[in-house]
DNA sequence: CGTGCACTTGATTGAAGTCAAGCGCTGTGG
DNA sequence: CCACAGCGCTTGACTTCAATCAAGTGCACG
């Protein structure tokens, strides 16, 4: 995003649609195609999937963050991931076809766009590393350092699910700071 | 791959270069850019990265499998992943520029090519799921069912590292079938 | 006012890591 | 040609982290 020219950035942001949505509103339901790149202008949104009847939180986006199901958006296929607000939120979204149009017209947008899936792969890799090699306590501390607002604003269940631990364990970590 | 027309498939395979390489030969070293999509025609190759001075195996490719560092190849940036043969092997590779040329000429190759990063993301996601939610024993059983040849041909260290467990634990799993 | 949800706290269990010792090849050097 | 060093793997004893099960507290909302 930071790599875009002012002109491209303006074109990009002009293409957004905006919505005001209540708490627990679905931006993408299971098996739907994710047709938008979303930007959480204000509010809190989680992205999660079902695994053995449980909901696994993949990420929680607060104010001024992007999110989407990369796989669904890029492959134009039904999403395993579900996107849902945790608070009443102001959401912006850029529609797939509009983004393609922009990418065709602006080379820097195309470059940015093309890099998204492999950038997401790096994030997935990092998250896997942290689940595999860090203790629950380290993961909690990292989240606390890097995204203190998530800890402050979001219910335990979602944080625990994101960290890959039980709410009991998370509760105990907090008790010991 | 299966989605390519005969013509595209021929063009694709004609563009390969081939090498005979000894055991423990590096196809991609750390911090190098991965310029090829590799195809292991015959042999065994591992892809791994360094984490806290340890080598973490990400995948092991045997006869007739593709492998590459998606992130490095697509972003044209230095690779965190290292690719190295485990046996004397016959390796084919298609060079980045050649692949771009093919993708420009053959629309189905371009489609295939564009999908690679988000397809890899799904694999990464699945692997994370298995590390997070399956026991070491389940992961071993799955590997045994889905890739028995890896278990047969590859030294324990690499398999243990791929499964995310210690060699002791792996040895114990094998003892109980 | 009470039912339920979000969170806490405690006791117990279990899976897998660590440390340590030992076995059986293979290959190199005396 | 044998000896022994080293590697790949196994086995055992112990430890640890976090899950599970089970109560219990406090607040929120109908």
């Amino acid at each position: 995003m930071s790599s875009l020219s002012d002109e491209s950035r303006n074109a990009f942001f002009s293409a957004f649609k905006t919505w005001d949505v209540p708490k627990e509103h679905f931006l993408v339901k299971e098996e739907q195609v994710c047709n938008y790149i979303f930007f959480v202008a204000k509010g809190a949104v989680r992205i999660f999937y079902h695994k053995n009847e449980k909901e696994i939180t993949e990420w929680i986006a607060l104010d001024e963050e992007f999110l989407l199901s990369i796989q669904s958006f890029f492959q134009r296929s039904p999403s395993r991931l579900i996107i849902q607000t945790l608070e009443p939120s102001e959401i912006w979204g850029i529609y797939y076809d509009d983004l393609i149009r922009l990418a065709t017209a602006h080379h820097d947008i195309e470059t940015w766009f093309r890099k998204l899936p492999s950038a997401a792969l790096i994030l997935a890799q990092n998250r896997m590393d942290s689940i595999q090699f860090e203790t629950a306590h380290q993961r909690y501390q990292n989240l606390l350092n890097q995204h203190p607002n998530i800890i402050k604003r979001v219910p335990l269940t979602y944080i625990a699910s994101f960290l890959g631990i039980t709410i009991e364990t998370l509760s105990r970590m907090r008790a010991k700071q």
Side-chain angles (χ1 to χ4, degrees), chain A:
Chain A
M1 279 306 304
S2 50
S3 57
L4 300 188
S5 68
D6 287 347
E7 192 211 334
S8 294
R9 186 184 305 261
N10 287 339
F12 188 79
F13 279 98
S14 314
F16 274 111
K17 299 170 185 178
T18 70
W19 304 277
D20 271 307
V21 293
K23 193 176 169 173
E24 296 184 359
H25 178 84
F26 289 97
L27 299 176
V28 175
K29 293 184 182 165
E30 197 158 15
E31 299 304 317
Q32 252 179 234
V33 173
C34 176
N35 283 316
Y36 290 88
I37 290 182
F38 295 104
F39 179 74
V40 181
K42 184 144 183 35
V45 178
R46 68 172 174 145
I47 182 161
F48 68 99
Y49 59 97
H50 286 289
K51 172 92 188 176
N52 308 333
E53 287 90 58
K54 281 184 164 179
E55 298 185 345
I56 310 301
T57 303
E58 187 149 292
W59 181 240
I60 295 161
L62 300 187
D63 310 333
E64 316 216 345
E65 271 190 83
F66 285 93
L67 91 171
L68 73 157
S69 166
I70 295 264
Q71 166 263 323
S72 173
F73 187 85
F74 278 84
Q75 296 207 2
R76 315 273 64 222
S77 62
S79 179
R80 211 168 68 97
L81 298 172
I82 301 153
I83 304 182
Q84 187 189 30
T85 53
L86 294 173
E87 302 175 358
S89 303
E90 184 190 330
I91 304 294
W92 304 356
I94 188 164
Y95 190 66
Y96 182 84
D97 294 341
D98 294 336
L99 184 53
I100 294 295
R101 219 166 289 132
L102 279 174
T104 311
H106 301 265
H107 189 256
D108 53 352
I109 293 182
E110 176 169 43
T111 304
W112 172 79
F113 173 66
R114 284 276 158 70
K115 281 187 177 168
L116 281 182
S118 48
L121 196 61
I122 297 172
L123 294 181
Q125 182 61 54
N126 290 343
R127 199 178 161 213
M128 189 161 82
D129 270 16
S130 98
I131 284 181
Q132 196 169 359
F133 301 111
E134 290 168 10
T135 63
H137 193 249
Q138 285 174 302
R139 265 176 282 145
Y140 174 70
Q141 286 296 337
N142 291 345
L143 186 64
L144 190 58
N145 293 335
Q146 286 157 37
H147 301 277
N149 289 332
I150 292 182
I151 308 273
K152 282 182 209 143
R153 266 165 66 179
V154 176
L156 271 203
T157 339
Y158 304 125
I159 300 172
S161 165
F162 170 69
L163 292 173
I165 60 180
T166 59
I167 46 170
E168 291 98 324
T169 302
L170 177 53
S171 177
R172 282 184 247 269
M173 326 240 95
R174 304 211 296 182
K176 298 169 192 140
Q177 304 131 36

PDB file of all heavy atoms in Angstrom, chain A residues 3-18:
ATOM      1  N   SER A   3       3.531   1.613  -1.201  1.00  0.00           N
ATOM      2  CA  SER A   3       4.318   1.714  -2.435  1.00  0.00           C
ATOM      3  C   SER A   3       3.538   2.386  -3.563  1.00  0.00           C
ATOM      4  O   SER A   3       4.074   2.576  -4.646  1.00  0.00           O
ATOM      5  CB  SER A   3       4.754   0.311  -2.874  1.00  0.00           C
ATOM      6  OG  SER A   3       3.613  -0.509  -3.041  1.00  0.00           O
ATOM      7  N   LEU A   4       2.294   2.757  -3.324  1.00  0.00           N
ATOM      8  CA  LEU A   4       1.492   3.341  -4.405  1.00  0.00           C
ATOM      9  C   LEU A   4       1.778   4.829  -4.577  1.00  0.00           C
ATOM     10  O   LEU A   4       2.048   5.543  -3.609  1.00  0.00           O
ATOM     11  CB  LEU A   4       0.000   3.144  -4.122  1.00  0.00           C
ATOM     12  CG  LEU A   4      -0.514   1.712  -3.993  1.00  0.00           C
ATOM     13  CD1 LEU A   4      -2.034   1.707  -3.919  1.00  0.00           C
ATOM     14  CD2 LEU A   4      -0.040   0.841  -5.141  1.00  0.00           C
ATOM     15  N   SER A   5       1.660   5.297  -5.820  1.00  0.00           N
ATOM     16  CA  SER A   5       1.750   6.734  -6.099  1.00  0.00           C
ATOM     17  C   SER A   5       0.497   7.412  -5.553  1.00  0.00           C
ATOM     18  O   SER A   5      -0.524   6.755  -5.320  1.00  0.00           O
ATOM     19  CB  SER A   5       1.825   6.961  -7.608  1.00  0.00           C
ATOM     20  OG  SER A   5       0.594   6.602  -8.205  1.00  0.00           O
ATOM     21  N   ASP A   6       0.553   8.719  -5.367  1.00  0.00           N
ATOM     22  CA  ASP A   6      -0.612   9.441  -4.851  1.00  0.00           C
ATOM     23  C   ASP A   6      -1.816   9.236  -5.756  1.00  0.00           C
ATOM     24  O   ASP A   6      -2.933   9.028  -5.291  1.00  0.00           O
ATOM     25  CB  ASP A   6      -0.303  10.946  -4.734  1.00  0.00           C
ATOM     26  CG  ASP A   6       0.635  11.218  -3.568  1.00  0.00           C
ATOM     27  OD1 ASP A   6       0.821  10.309  -2.737  1.00  0.00           O
ATOM     28  OD2 ASP A   6       1.185  12.335  -3.504  1.00  0.00           O
ATOM     29  N   GLU A   7      -1.549   9.279  -7.052  1.00  0.00           N
ATOM     30  CA  GLU A   7      -2.646   9.134  -8.010  1.00  0.00           C
ATOM     31  C   GLU A   7      -3.322   7.766  -7.857  1.00  0.00           C
ATOM     32  O   GLU A   7      -4.544   7.673  -7.775  1.00  0.00           O
ATOM     33  CB  GLU A   7      -2.083   9.292  -9.434  1.00  0.00           C
ATOM     34  CG  GLU A   7      -3.158   9.459 -10.495  1.00  0.00           C
ATOM     35  CD  GLU A   7      -2.714   8.881 -11.828  1.00  0.00           C
ATOM     36  OE1 GLU A   7      -1.487   8.812 -12.080  1.00  0.00           O
ATOM     37  OE2 GLU A   7      -3.597   8.461 -12.599  1.00  0.00           O
ATOM     38  N   SER A   8      -2.489   6.723  -7.798  1.00  0.00           N
ATOM     39  CA  SER A   8      -3.040   5.380  -7.664  1.00  0.00           C
ATOM     40  C   SER A   8      -3.792   5.235  -6.347  1.00  0.00           C
ATOM     41  O   SER A   8      -4.871   4.647  -6.283  1.00  0.00           O
ATOM     42  CB  SER A   8      -1.921   4.344  -7.719  1.00  0.00           C
ATOM     43  OG  SER A   8      -1.327   4.344  -8.990  1.00  0.00           O
ATOM     44  N   ARG A   9      -3.216   5.812  -5.320  1.00  0.00           N
ATOM     45  CA  ARG A   9      -3.840   5.696  -4.011  1.00  0.00           C
ATOM     46  C   ARG A   9      -5.223   6.352  -4.021  1.00  0.00           C
ATOM     47  O   ARG A   9      -6.187   5.805  -3.480  1.00  0.00           O
ATOM     48  CB  ARG A   9      -2.945   6.352  -2.961  1.00  0.00           C
ATOM     49  CG  ARG A   9      -3.425   6.155  -1.532  1.00  0.00           C
ATOM     50  CD  ARG A   9      -2.542   6.924  -0.591  1.00  0.00           C
ATOM     51  NE  ARG A   9      -1.152   6.522  -0.801  1.00  0.00           N
ATOM     52  CZ  ARG A   9      -0.529   5.642  -0.020  1.00  0.00           C
ATOM     53  NH1 ARG A   9      -1.161   5.095   0.989  1.00  0.00           N
ATOM     54  NH2 ARG A   9       0.722   5.308  -0.259  1.00  0.00           N
ATOM     55  N   ASN A  10      -5.312   7.515  -4.655  1.00  0.00           N
ATOM     56  CA  ASN A  10      -6.615   8.186  -4.761  1.00  0.00           C
ATOM     57  C   ASN A  10      -7.606   7.331  -5.539  1.00  0.00           C
ATOM     58  O   ASN A  10      -8.744   7.145  -5.106  1.00  0.00           O
ATOM     59  CB  ASN A  10      -6.463   9.552  -5.434  1.00  0.00           C
ATOM     60  CG  ASN A  10      -5.807  10.545  -4.502  1.00  0.00           C
ATOM     61  OD1 ASN A  10      -5.813  10.364  -3.284  1.00  0.00           O
ATOM     62  ND2 ASN A  10      -5.218  11.590  -5.070  1.00  0.00           N
ATOM     63  N   ALA A  11      -7.148   6.827  -6.683  1.00  0.00           N
ATOM     64  CA  ALA A  11      -8.016   5.971  -7.495  1.00  0.00           C
ATOM     65  C   ALA A  11      -8.484   4.788  -6.663  1.00  0.00           C
ATOM     66  O   ALA A  11      -9.662   4.415  -6.676  1.00  0.00           O
ATOM     67  CB  ALA A  11      -7.261   5.483  -8.734  1.00  0.00           C
ATOM     68  N   PHE A  12      -7.550   4.245  -5.923  1.00  0.00           N
ATOM     69  CA  PHE A  12      -7.835   3.072  -5.105  1.00  0.00           C
ATOM     70  C   PHE A  12      -8.919   3.383  -4.073  1.00  0.00           C
ATOM     71  O   PHE A  12      -9.927   2.698  -3.986  1.00  0.00           O
ATOM     72  CB  PHE A  12      -6.536   2.636  -4.429  1.00  0.00           C
ATOM     73  CG  PHE A  12      -6.612   1.342  -3.699  1.00  0.00           C
ATOM     74  CD1 PHE A  12      -6.543   0.141  -4.385  1.00  0.00           C
ATOM     75  CD2 PHE A  12      -6.741   1.314  -2.315  1.00  0.00           C
ATOM     76  CE1 PHE A  12      -6.601  -1.069  -3.696  1.00  0.00           C
ATOM     77  CE2 PHE A  12      -6.798   0.110  -1.629  1.00  0.00           C
ATOM     78  CZ  PHE A  12      -6.732  -1.080  -2.328  1.00  0.00           C
ATOM     79  N   PHE A  13      -8.720   4.450  -3.322  1.00  0.00           N
ATOM     80  CA  PHE A  13      -9.672   4.744  -2.255  1.00  0.00           C
ATOM     81  C   PHE A  13     -11.011   5.243  -2.779  1.00  0.00           C
ATOM     82  O   PHE A  13     -12.045   5.061  -2.142  1.00  0.00           O
ATOM     83  CB  PHE A  13      -9.064   5.698  -1.219  1.00  0.00           C
ATOM     84  CG  PHE A  13      -8.194   4.964  -0.233  1.00  0.00           C
ATOM     85  CD1 PHE A  13      -6.807   4.927  -0.381  1.00  0.00           C
ATOM     86  CD2 PHE A  13      -8.769   4.263   0.826  1.00  0.00           C
ATOM     87  CE1 PHE A  13      -6.019   4.213   0.521  1.00  0.00           C
ATOM     88  CE2 PHE A  13      -7.980   3.557   1.726  1.00  0.00           C
ATOM     89  CZ  PHE A  13      -6.602   3.525   1.574  1.00  0.00           C
ATOM     90  N   SER A  14     -10.995   5.853  -3.973  1.00  0.00           N
ATOM     91  CA  SER A  14     -12.278   6.287  -4.551  1.00  0.00           C
ATOM     92  C   SER A  14     -13.138   5.090  -4.945  1.00  0.00           C
ATOM     93  O   SER A  14     -14.363   5.203  -5.057  1.00  0.00           O
ATOM     94  CB  SER A  14     -12.055   7.140  -5.799  1.00  0.00           C
ATOM     95  OG  SER A  14     -11.056   8.089  -5.572  1.00  0.00           O
ATOM     96  N   ALA A  15     -12.497   3.979  -5.188  1.00  0.00           N
ATOM     97  CA  ALA A  15     -13.242   2.806  -5.658  1.00  0.00           C
ATOM     98  C   ALA A  15     -13.950   2.061  -4.516  1.00  0.00           C
ATOM     99  O   ALA A  15     -14.753   1.171  -4.753  1.00  0.00           O
ATOM    100  CB  ALA A  15     -12.309   1.847  -6.396  1.00  0.00           C
ATOM    101  N   PHE A  16     -13.667   2.450  -3.297  1.00  0.00           N
ATOM    102  CA  PHE A  16     -14.294   1.770  -2.165  1.00  0.00           C
ATOM    103  C   PHE A  16     -15.782   2.075  -2.051  1.00  0.00           C
ATOM    104  O   PHE A  16     -16.205   3.205  -2.279  1.00  0.00           O
ATOM    105  CB  PHE A  16     -13.621   2.194  -0.851  1.00  0.00           C
ATOM    106  CG  PHE A  16     -12.411   1.382  -0.515  1.00  0.00           C
ATOM    107  CD1 PHE A  16     -11.135   1.953  -0.559  1.00  0.00           C
ATOM    108  CD2 PHE A  16     -12.526   0.057  -0.144  1.00  0.00           C
ATOM    109  CE1 PHE A  16     -10.006   1.205  -0.242  1.00  0.00           C
ATOM    110  CE2 PHE A  16     -11.403  -0.689   0.181  1.00  0.00           C
ATOM    111  CZ  PHE A  16     -10.144  -0.107   0.123  1.00  0.00           C
ATOM    112  N   LYS A  17     -16.537   1.056  -1.702  1.00  0.00           N
ATOM    113  CA  LYS A  17     -17.890   1.263  -1.202  1.00  0.00           C
ATOM    114  C   LYS A  17     -17.806   1.246   0.315  1.00  0.00           C
ATOM    115  O   LYS A  17     -16.865   0.690   0.877  1.00  0.00           O
ATOM    116  CB  LYS A  17     -18.805   0.139  -1.681  1.00  0.00           C
ATOM    117  CG  LYS A  17     -18.885   0.075  -3.191  1.00  0.00           C
ATOM    118  CD  LYS A  17     -19.581  -1.182  -3.668  1.00  0.00           C
ATOM    119  CE  LYS A  17     -19.500  -1.220  -5.200  1.00  0.00           C
ATOM    120  NZ  LYS A  17     -20.103  -2.429  -5.765  1.00  0.00           N
ATOM    121  N   THR A  18     -18.777   1.827   0.983  1.00  0.00           N
ATOM    122  CA  THR A  18     -18.739   1.823   2.446  1.00  0.00           C
ATOM    123  C   THR A  18     -20.069   1.353   3.007  1.00  0.00           C
ATOM    124  O   THR A  18     -21.122   1.558   2.404  1.00  0.00           O
ATOM    125  CB  THR A  18     -18.423   3.227   3.021  1.00  0.00           C
ATOM    126  OG1 THR A  18     -19.550   4.068   2.800  1.00  0.00           O
ATOM    127  CG2 THR A  18     -17.194   3.842   2.347  1.00  0.00           C
TER     128      THR A  18
END
